[in-house]
């Protein structure tokens, strides 16, 4: 097996890592924080928010690379994580997101953190999704059902369920809700039914309405039966024996 | 027996085909590609077939239908070989006279091309459009019916493949291509030989060879002409490349908008297989290779190599960030060599005649010829093939014949949506991979769109930027949001809502889009905008400050009125007006109501008396 | 709608039962039915082992596919650069006005659908409009009405 290692310099500090280590991980090891919006350690790198771009000098030239997808495969790289150029780019990226999600709290907080104000001249859109793709990727890679995906392309690109209808393969586990950085996927529970939904344009799009299972002991609702079935299948048992956390 | 099982078989077959054709045989060649058919070549084809079938002259006069001959302006066109007589704008009723003239060695003066001074140019070599070209690749179209492999074999087709398989090693082939300095013709200009070398040396048994026939640049159709007209040339190039690299599976990715190219390529692949030139044990050499066709789905972004491969894998054509080269991890994560159609088409020439010969054409850094698609406001529209290093002026004026309707040249757009617009001052620049880039544009895949003084450069920037917004995959923030914002500001400017500071804002945002976009679509998206600002800044100032469009093109900034002096009251404009904005009695001066007028321009277009004025 | 699954199986057989065949199979379905019926997408997803969300993504990503039926006369206006400088935009606008539909839509009676295409590669003959498989070269504003009248009579 190939356990080759490479040594590189990040912001003047040296570090040795295993070959194919992601540059953002190398930065993390040195406790250098690189901002990202689409990166999630549990998911395959996506590289679309472009916030994690850093300057890399590979010997001949310096170029900007997204550190979340760049694999270290050479010796002697020199990396700069903060510069005038990087800061200017990030400022503009935030301004573009502010124009897209001009009222969304998480985006406004993110902008405030970097001291960036909106550009009045840009076209405003009251969207709540930044298209980081974490929900789609988590559903596909971790949960494994791929209940939601993208629709169309370019400025019309959106995250939806197929045909914007309920998708029976969704198990209402709520993973997409948890990973979303702008909290734009909603999960509600009412009258024994859990609903996963979000807004598509002005209309509410329901991804799944799933009946909740009641606890065998106390009779309270605690888990969608669809999720219980998945676990039960994997463990080879009857799903109705599950009890809620308080009764365990 | 059809199948060729050795180098000798190929040579023998070539001889047999030649023997079957009378030595003094005249041939009528009809251009029947997409352009030809759109001009009516199908009817001409039927008429010529009939006229010839009634003669017992298979040995004296042959009839061949082919792909594009390059001079699309004058289609349907018929060439008479070997005399090289050219007939233009041929109609079905001309068929009999053309046949009679060919048999008696005469020339029909009324059907020949007339140059600017109304001289008759009977021979192709007399025609200004063709005179200065070097039609190395495209010239073969005239000799080949794409549906007949015999035609291709007759002109030494597959000779290069046999030469490579039986007299060269894969390493030697790669060295020759490196020595020839064949650079990618799809726009990137990367040395093909180096790419081949990396893939050859990559680890793994399975390697892929791919042909990029997505040709998305609007206005560019060189690849369509090559694939439709001479698919075997491209197939042979891919075969040689596969042999050199050690690949046994190839793909041709053709955009969906080229149905005839897909059709002809399919037939060519089948015929090549029947003849033992594709598939298992090619020409008895022991080398296996076959090709599959993948049709695009209508997405410009699929011309980008990683998006193209995603598409072949059945996914949306979304580029992926790649910091490990395609030569190591490409299609299905295997080493892959991707080249453009025209790049592949150059390969058989390099193998047949040698890298040293190839290097005699072109400039120091750009060897060989390049096919350009010369279109727009130009007299001679068509496919132009010239040695690299020729000047823009030679192409636009010498070959293109200048601007029609006595208008003046304003700009030439090169490199498609990744390129830029160059003004008259730049006309003397030599055209090759590097010179145009210095001026802010690029040679790109070969699209060359000429614009006259009636073109508004701000509108051109808006057009390209809007195109890219619609074609963007939408994954990354800088392209999806940034290019869209640029488009919105350009919409404002062309509709009279431009503001002070807009140009500076667009310049700043453009830098970020170039720096941060995930793929080459976003990274080059601001080019049309930036070159028009660089060379035509005054037009932006006029639109923003004065709310005027100097070219009188942007409908929101112009008004239409009828000139009483010229108006004859024919009422043609009134009939065409969609909003009933024109009033007037028969034979009396008409008038446009500015409140109702939506400035669609229908009246301006239809008036025969120059009575409609745009201001 | 009764889906002809045998027909679809035939398309799949052409390219092999693997995910890479998805786009080619969908193109055959689009060619056959003039659009992609929902049942067809669901059937293909199952057969190829792809989540419906991915198939739906492919179906909505590419211009060639439509989830709604195309009209009997499918009109495509070329909006390539060469056609643009020769006035393609005003021709497209005229079609929109006459048919009272926008790009990507179909008339209620299913007679006409209107689309634009980036470039057909026949730039010498622009502006070009394709009606089904017929190329109309050198299009002019006053020819638009004539084209539509002829189409209606079919």
């Amino acid at each position: 097996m190939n356990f080759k290692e490479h040594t590189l310099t990040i912001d003047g500090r040296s570090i040795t890592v295993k070959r194919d280590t992601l540059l953002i991980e190398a930065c993390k090891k040195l406790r250098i924080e690189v901002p990202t919006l689409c990166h999630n350690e549990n998911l395959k790198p996506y590289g679309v928010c472009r916030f994690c771009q850093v300057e890399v000098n590979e010997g001949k030239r310096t170029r900007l690379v997204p550190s979340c997808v760049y694999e270290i495969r050479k010796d002697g790289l020199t990396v700069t994580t903060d510069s005038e150029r990087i800061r200017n780019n990030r400022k503009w990226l935030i301004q573009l997101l502010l124009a897209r999600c001009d009222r969304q709290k998480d985006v406004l907080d993110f902008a405030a953190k970097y001291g960036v104000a909106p550009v009045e001249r840009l076209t405003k859109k009251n969207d709540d999704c930044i298209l980081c793709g974490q929900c789609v990727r988590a559903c596909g890679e971790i949960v494994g059902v791929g209940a939601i995906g993208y629709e169309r392309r370019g400025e019309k690109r959106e995250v939806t369920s197929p045909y914007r209808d309920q998708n029976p393969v969704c198990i209402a586990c709520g993973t997409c809700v948890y990973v979303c950085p702008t909290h734009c996927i909603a999960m509600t529970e009412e009258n024994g039914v859990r609903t996963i939904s979000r807004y598509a344009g002005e209309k509410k799009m329901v991804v799944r309405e799933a009946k909740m299972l009641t606890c065998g002991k106390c009779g309270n609702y605690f888990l969608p039966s669809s999720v219980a079935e998945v676990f039960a299948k994997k463990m080879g048992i009857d799903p109705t024996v599950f009890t809620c956390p308080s009764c365990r | 027996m059809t199948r060729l099982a050795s180098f000798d078989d190929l040579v023998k077959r070539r001889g047999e085909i030649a023997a079957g054709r009378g030595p003094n045989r005249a041939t009528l060649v009809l251009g029947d590609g997409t352009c030809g058919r759109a001009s009516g070549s199908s009817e001409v084809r039927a008429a010529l077939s009939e006229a010839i079938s009634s003669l017992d002259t298979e040995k004296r006069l042959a009839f061949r239908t082919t792909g594009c001959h390059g001079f699309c302006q004058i289609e349907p066109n018929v060439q008479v070989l070997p005399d090289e007589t050219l007939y233009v704008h041929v109609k079905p009723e001309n068929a009999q006279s053309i046949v009679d003239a060919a048999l008696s060695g005469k020339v029909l003066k009324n059907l020949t091309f007339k140059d600017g001074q109304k001289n008759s140019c009977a021979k192709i070599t007399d025609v200004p459009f063709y005179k200065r070209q070097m039609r190395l690749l495209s010239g073969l179209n005239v000799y080949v019916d794409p549906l007949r492999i015999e035609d291709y074999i007759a002109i030494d087709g597959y000779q290069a493949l046999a030469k490579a398989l039986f007299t060269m090693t894969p390493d030697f082939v790669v060295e020759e291509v490196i020595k020839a300095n064949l650079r990618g013709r799809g726009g990137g200009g990367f040395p093909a030989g180096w790419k081949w070398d990396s893939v050859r040396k990559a680890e793994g048994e399975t390697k892929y060879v791919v042909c990029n026939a997505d040709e998305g640049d609007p206005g560019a159709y060189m690849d369509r002409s090559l694939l439709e007209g001479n698919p075997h040339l491209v197939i042979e190039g891919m075969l040689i490349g596969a042999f050199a690299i050690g690949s046994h599976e190839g793909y041709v990715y053709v955009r969906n908008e080229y149905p005839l190219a897909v059709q002809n390529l399919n037939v060519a692949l089948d015929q090549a297989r029947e003849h033992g030139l594709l598939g298992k044990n090619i020409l008895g050499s022991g080398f296996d290779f076959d090709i599959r066709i993948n049709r695009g789905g209508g997405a410009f972004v699929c011309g980008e190599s990683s998006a193209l491969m995603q598409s072949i894998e059945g996914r949306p054509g979304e580029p992926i960030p790649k910091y490990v080269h395609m030569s190591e991890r490409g299609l299905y994560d295997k080493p892959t060599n991707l080249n453009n159609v025209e790049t592949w088409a150059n390969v058989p020439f390099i193998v047949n005649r040698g890298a040293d010969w190839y290097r005699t054409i072109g400039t120091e850094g750009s060897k060989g010829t390049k096919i350009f698609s010369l279109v727009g406001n130009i007299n001679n529209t068509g496919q132009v093939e010239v040695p690299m290093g020729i000047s823009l002026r030679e192409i636009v004026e010498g070959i293109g014949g200048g601007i029609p309707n006595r208008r003046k040249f304003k700009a030439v757009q090169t490199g498609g949506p990744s390129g830029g617009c160059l003004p008259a001052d730049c006309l003397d620049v030599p055209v090759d991979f590097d010179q145009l880039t210095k001026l802010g544009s690029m040679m790109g895949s070969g699209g060359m769109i000429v614009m006259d003084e009636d073109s508004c450069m701000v509108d051109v920037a808006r057009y390209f930027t809007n195109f890219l917004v619609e074609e963007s995959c939408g994954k990354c923030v800088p392209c999806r949001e940034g290019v869209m914002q640029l488009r919105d500001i350009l919409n404002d400017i062309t509709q009279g809502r431009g503001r002070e500071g807009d140009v500076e804002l667009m310049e700043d945002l453009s830098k970020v889009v170039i720096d941060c976009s995930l793929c080459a679509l976003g990274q080059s998206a601001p080019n049309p905008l930036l070159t028009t600002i660089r060379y035509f800044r005054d037009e932006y100032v006029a639109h923003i400050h004065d709310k005027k469009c100097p070219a009188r093109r942007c409908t929101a900034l112009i008004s239409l009125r009828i000139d009483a002096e010229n108006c004859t009251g024919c009422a043609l404009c009134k009939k065409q007006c969609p909003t009933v904005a024109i009033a007037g009695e028969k034979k009396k001066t008409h008038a446009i109501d500015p409140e109702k007028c939506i400035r669609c321009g229908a009246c301006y277009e239809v008036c025969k008396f120059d009575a409609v004025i745009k201001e | 709608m009764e889906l002809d699954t045998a027909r679809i199986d035939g398309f799949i057989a052409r390219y092999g039962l693997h995910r890479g065949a998805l786009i080619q199979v969908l193109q055959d379905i689009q060619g056959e039915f003039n659009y992609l019926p929902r049942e067809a997408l669901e059937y293909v997803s199952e057969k190829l082992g792809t989540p419906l969300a991915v198939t739906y993504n492919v179906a909505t990503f590419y211009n060639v596919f439509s989830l709604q039926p195309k009209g009997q006369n499918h009109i495509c206006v070329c909006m390539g650069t060469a056609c643009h400088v020769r006035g393609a935009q005003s021709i497209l606008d005229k079609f929109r006005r006459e048919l009272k539909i926008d790009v990507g839509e179909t008339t209620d009676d299913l007679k006409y659908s209107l689309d634009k295409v980036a470039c057909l590669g026949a730039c010498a003959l622009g502006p070009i409009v394709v009606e089904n498989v017929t190329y109309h070269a050198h299009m002019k504003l006053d020819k638009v009405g004539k084209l539509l009248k002829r189409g209606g009579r079919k």
Side-chain angles (χ1 to χ4, degrees):
Chain A
M1 259 193 95
N2 190 8
F3 283 123
K4 196 152 182 218
E5 288 185 326
H6 296 289
T7 306
L8 65 155
T9 314
I10 305 177
D11 291 343
R13 295 153 65 190
S14 184
I15 182 172
T16 303
V17 294
K18 274 210 277 270
R19 184 180 172 81
D20 291 339
T21 301
L22 292 171
L23 185 49
I24 199 172
E25 296 298 314
C27 291
K28 194 166 174 214
K29 283 202 210 302
L30 287 174
R31 295 194 202 287
I32 296 173
E33 195 208 318
V34 177
T36 81
L37 283 171
C38 72
H39 187 60
N40 185 316
E41 280 169 12
N42 303 301
L43 301 171
K44 286 199 213 116
Y46 203 37
V48 301
C49 72
R50 317 306 285 176
F51 274 88
C52 70
Q53 278 191 313
V54 296
E55 287 173 6
V56 175
N57 187 322
E58 293 165 331
K60 276 185 258 174
R61 50 168 184 164
T62 302
R63 56 174 177 162
L64 276 178
V65 306
S67 50
C68 69
V69 296
Y70 184 89
E71 291 159 317
I72 297 164
R73 307 172 115 227
K74 252 178 146 166
D75 277 312
L77 299 173
T78 312
V79 180
T80 311
T81 69
D82 188 23
S83 71
E84 183 72 51
R85 182 184 180 189
I86 292 172
R87 267 179 268 134
N88 184 52
N89 286 343
R90 285 194 189 137
K91 179 191 78 160
W92 263 108
L93 290 172
I94 295 174
Q95 284 165 340
L96 288 172
L97 284 179
L98 279 174
R100 178 190 169 85
C101 307
D102 73 334
R103 271 160 265 183
Q104 213 288 329
K105 185 176 182 306
D106 300 280
V107 175
L108 295 172
D109 287 347
F110 188 72
K113 179 175 171 197
Y114 288 90
V116 176
V119 174
E120 189 269 322
R121 182 66 176 100
L122 301 178
T123 308
K124 306 287 184 297
K125 190 174 165 195
N126 179 17
D127 209 319
D128 52 2
C129 168
I130 57 169
L131 284 174
C132 67
Q134 289 189 61
C135 53
V136 175
R137 291 145 64 203
C139 188
E141 293 171 34
I142 298 178
V143 182
V145 296
I148 48 174
Y150 305 105
E151 184 196 70
R152 305 172 90 180
R153 68 184 192 214
E155 57 177 344
K156 304 197 173 120
R157 182 179 171 91
E158 279 203 61
V159 171
T160 68
S161 53
Y163 293 94
R164 291 151 180 249
D165 270 346
Q166 281 206 47
N167 192 350
V169 310
C170 167
I171 60 169
C173 63
T175 304
C176 55
V177 181
Y178 294 136
V179 298
C180 178
T182 57
H183 306 94
C184 66
I185 304 182
M187 175 162 75
T188 54
E189 286 167 20
E190 216 180 295
N191 298 329
V193 173
R194 175 184 283 184
T195 306
I196 310 277
S197 66
R198 70 160 295 223
Y199 275 87
E202 292 301 314
K203 245 180 74 179
K204 186 160 153 193
M205 170 178 69
V206 175
V207 181
R208 181 73 205 269
E209 277 170 349
K211 280 217 184 72
M212 300 288 279
L213 202 63
T214 48
C215 167
K217 284 224 170 99
C218 66
N220 286 322
Y221 293 119
F222 75 105
L223 189 71
S225 52
S226 43
V227 178
E229 276 157 29
V230 169
F231 282 124
K233 208 169 176 190
K234 290 200 181 206
M235 292 153 75
I237 55 174
D238 173 6
T240 55
V241 309
F242 287 142
T243 51
C244 72
S246 343
C247 294
R248 251 177 249 149
Chain B
M1 226 241 325
T2 330
R3 198 179 172 86
L4 306 168
S6 68
F7 199 155
D8 277 340
D9 277 358
L10 177 67
V11 177
K12 235 172 55 187
R13 179 64 54 84
R14 197 184 311 139
E16 286 163 10
I17 297 170
R21 302 176 176 186
N24 297 315
R25 190 175 83 150
T27 311
L28 295 180
V29 186
L30 170 70
D32 197 30
T34 300
C35 284
R37 292 182 189 194
S39 308
S41 62
S42 307
E43 288 80 12
V44 174
R45 178 189 188 141
L48 279 171
S49 295
E50 215 201 288
I52 290 188
S53 66
S54 60
L55 308 164
D56 146 53
T57 50
E58 173 47 42
K59 287 242 167 154
R60 282 201 297 144
L61 184 64
F63 176 43
R64 182 188 303 140
T65 53
T66 67
C68 284
H69 297 172
F71 199 178
C72 311
Q73 189 84 358
I74 47 96
E75 304 230 46
N77 76 312
V78 173
Q79 290 190 24
V80 185
L81 300 178
D83 291 342
E84 295 192 324
T85 307
L86 175 69
Y87 294 133
V88 307
H89 297 300
V90 174
K91 296 197 174 48
E93 48 264 34
N94 303 132
Q96 192 59 57
S97 14
I98 291 176
V99 171
D100 294 339
L103 286 171
S104 56
K106 291 209 180 79
V107 169
L108 298 171
K109 268 246 168 84
N110 61 318
L111 289 177
T112 58
F113 178 78
K114 310 293 184 296
D115 68 14
Q117 283 79 48
K118 303 247 180 358
N119 297 320
S120 162
C121 305
K123 280 196 188 304
I124 296 172
T125 41
D126 297 331
V127 177
F129 178 77
Y130 284 114
K131 237 190 245 193
R132 300 169 208 221
Q133 292 192 45
M134 184 178 185
R135 294 181 68 82
L136 191 66
L137 275 62
S138 46
L140 295 183
N141 276 16
V142 177
Y143 299 98
V144 171
D145 177 339
L147 303 177
R148 291 170 46 96
I149 193 174
E150 297 81 11
D151 285 356
Y152 187 65
I153 293 175
I155 54 165
D156 289 351
Y158 290 108
Q159 172 74 8
L161 171 65
K163 194 171 165 190
L165 286 176
F166 294 105
T167 71
M168 297 177 177
T169 59
D171 277 333
F172 182 77
V173 177
V174 175
E175 275 161 35
E176 275 291 277
V177 176
I178 291 177
K179 198 164 157 206
N181 198 10
L182 172 67
R183 289 172 70 173
R185 298 297 199 257
F190 190 80
W194 293 2
K195 230 190 242 183
W196 290 22
D197 198 42
S198 315
V199 184
R200 172 159 180 73
K201 294 191 170 122
E203 268 178 42
E205 274 298 308
T206 307
K207 297 180 184 175
Y208 295 109
V209 148
V210 180
C211 174
N212 187 342
D214 194 55
E215 195 165 57
D217 285 359
Y221 57 105
M222 305 73 56
D223 295 345
R224 172 176 75 62
S225 296
L226 275 175
L227 263 185
E228 268 180 14
N230 198 355
H232 287 286
L233 181 61
V234 179
I235 295 171
E236 189 179 0
M238 287 177 76
L239 273 159
I240 295 169
F243 169 70
I245 287 165
S247 158
H248 306 288
E249 275 183 74
Y251 288 86
V252 179
Y253 187 91
V254 190
R255 67 192 296 245
N256 186 64
E257 293 85 340
Y258 289 169
L260 187 58
V262 174
Q263 217 175 297
N264 291 357
L265 184 60
N266 256 319
V267 171
L269 289 172
D270 280 340
Q271 290 184 350
R273 287 185 197 111
E274 274 166 31
H275 283 69
L277 292 159
L278 191 67
K280 295 237 181 295
N281 194 18
I282 293 168
L283 282 177
S285 65
F287 176 62
D288 302 336
F289 178 70
D290 211 331
I291 294 175
R292 259 189 270 232
I293 300 179
N294 262 70
R295 287 164 292 169
F300 170 78
V301 69
C302 286
E304 195 273 347
S305 49
S306 66
L308 190 154
M309 296 191 197
Q310 290 288 296
S311 188
I312 292 181
E313 294 181 23
R315 301 205 188 89
E318 294 169 1
I320 49 178
K322 54 180 195 288
Y323 294 91
V324 174
H325 284 292
M326 222 38 83
S327 48
E328 217 182 298
R329 251 193 257 152
L331 185 62
Y332 294 113
D333 277 343
K334 301 275 188 275
T336 305
N337 181 76
L338 176 112
N339 278 123
N340 166 268
V341 170
E342 195 181 336
T343 313
W344 287 120
N346 270 277
V347 173
F349 291 93
I350 294 173
V351 171
N352 264 332
R353 306 195 209 179
D356 288 331
W357 161 81
Y358 193 77
R359 289 182 68 83
T360 62
I361 309 166
T363 65
E364 186 54 46
S366 306
K367 297 292 178 199
T369 61
K370 177 77 189 80
I371 306 177
F372 292 99
S373 187
L374 189 62
V375 296
N377 303 127
I378 187 93
N379 271 317
N380 301 331
T381 322
Q383 300 295 286
V384 172
E385 187 175 349
V386 289
M388 282 200 262
I390 193 175
S391 72
L392 261 179
R393 190 182 298 280
E394 269 234 68
I395 298 176
V396 172
E397 291 172 10
I399 296 172
I403 316 296
N405 304 325
R406 286 168 290 142
R407 312 305 283 158
K408 286 207 291 279
F409 173 93
K410 186 165 191 183
V412 60
Q413 208 280 340
T414 64
S418 313
C421 301
L422 297 173
D425 295 343
C426 299
L427 276 174
D428 291 307
V429 70
V431 181
D432 70 2
F433 286 106
D434 310 305
Q435 297 302 318
L436 290 174
T437 316
K438 291 194 186 141
L439 297 170
S441 182
M442 61 189 273
M443 190 169 74
S445 65
M448 231 179 231
I449 301 151
V450 182
M451 298 170 185
D452 66 17
E453 57 198 286
D454 291 336
S455 290
C456 169
M457 302 318 286
V458 185
D459 175 63
V460 168
R462 183 203 60 82
Y463 165 85
F464 277 114
T465 311
N466 185 57
F467 171 82
L468 291 163
V469 169
E470 290 177 351
E471 297 295 335
S472 165
C473 77
K475 250 195 344 185
C476 77
V477 174
C479 176
R480 182 187 67 242
E481 304 296 331
V483 185
M484 182 258 293
Q485 294 289 356
L486 292 174
R487 188 269 316 266
D488 284 355
I489 296 175
L490 283 165
N491 269 344
D492 275 354
I493 295 175
T494 54
Q495 289 169 28
R497 297 184 302 269
R499 299 187 209 172
E500 291 303 318
D502 274 352
V503 173
E504 291 73 19
L505 182 91
M506 290 196 294
E507 285 175 316
D508 284 346
L509 177 52
S510 293
K511 285 204 197 88
V512 176
V513 172
I514 292 171
D515 245 9
C516 300
S517 289
L518 190 151
C519 81
L521 187 151
Q523 288 156 8
S524 60
N527 286 357
L529 168 64
L530 291 177
T531 52
T532 51
I533 292 176
R534 174 172 171 176
Y535 296 111
F536 301 96
R537 203 182 186 105
D538 52 308
E539 291 197 37
Y540 283 89
V541 173
H543 281 70
I544 296 172
H545 268 288
D546 313 322
K547 303 288 189 267
K548 280 219 167 330
C549 173
R552 284 168 302 186
R553 180 82 186 208
C554 298
T555 52
L557 302 178
I558 57 167
S559 56
L560 291 156
R561 67 174 176 87
I562 294 178
D563 182 6
E565 269 197 48
N566 291 349
C567 178
T568 63
C570 70
L572 255 182
C573 58
K574 192 166 157 189
K575 285 199 197 102
Q576 288 298 320
C577 181
T579 53
V580 198
I582 305 184
E585 292 164 37
K586 237 196 203 162
K587 303 265 173 83
K588 295 231 172 90
T589 305
H590 280 47
I592 300 173
D593 179 355
E595 300 280 295
K596 291 195 183 150
C597 175
I598 58 166
R599 294 174 292 276
C600 71
C603 52
Y604 183 81
E605 221 187 78
V606 88
C607 178
K608 296 195 192 6
F609 303 98
D610 284 336
V612 180
I613 314 287
K614 263 192 205 171
E615 290 174 326
Chain C
M1 152 197 149
E2 196 60 56
L3 187 71
D4 188 353
T5 54
R7 203 90 184 80
I8 298 183
D9 287 335
F11 297 147
I12 296 175
R14 265 188 214 165
Y15 310 104
L17 190 69
H18 65 113
R19 288 185 174 199
L22 178 60
I23 295 173
Q24 310 303 300
V25 171
L26 290 182
Q27 283 188 322
D28 285 354
I29 296 175
Q30 173 80 32
E32 176 88 358
F33 299 106
N34 226 11
Y35 77 116
L36 295 178
R38 181 168 178 164
E39 296 82 358
L41 284 193
E42 287 166 352
Y43 183 73
V44 173
S45 303
E46 209 191 295
K47 277 264 154 162
L48 296 181
T50 327
L52 180 62
V54 172
T55 313
Y56 181 73
N57 189 6
V58 169
T60 56
F61 181 92
Y62 293 101
N63 282 349
V64 71
F65 300 132
S66 51
L67 300 181
Q68 301 297 327
K70 289 289 172 199
Q72 260 178 307
N73 298 310
H74 181 211
I75 295 178
C76 264
V77 180
C78 181
M79 299 294 285
T81 321
C83 290
H84 175 77
V85 304
R86 290 188 186 185
Q89 184 68 53
S90 29
I91 291 180
L92 179 70
D93 289 339
K94 179 142 193 201
F95 272 108
R96 287 161 72 207
R97 282 195 303 267
E98 298 276 322
L99 293 171
K100 299 201 195 356
I101 53 174
D102 209 341
V103 173
E105 294 177 356
T106 309
T107 53
D108 288 334
D109 59 0
L110 293 184
K111 267 223 184 100
Y112 292 101
S113 52
L114 182 62
D115 266 318
K116 60 179 181 174
V117 66
C119 180
L120 291 162
C123 314
L125 311 166
I128 293 217
V129 171
V130 183
E131 186 194 4
N132 294 335
V133 292
T134 313
Y135 281 63
H136 297 275
H138 302 297
M139 202 62 191
K140 283 189 153 55
L141 283 171
D142 54 359
K143 282 194 194 166
V144 172
K146 292 183 197 137
L147 189 158
L148 291 175
K149 275 208 205 99
R150 274 203 309 273
R153 263 192 231 123
K154 276 201 209 115

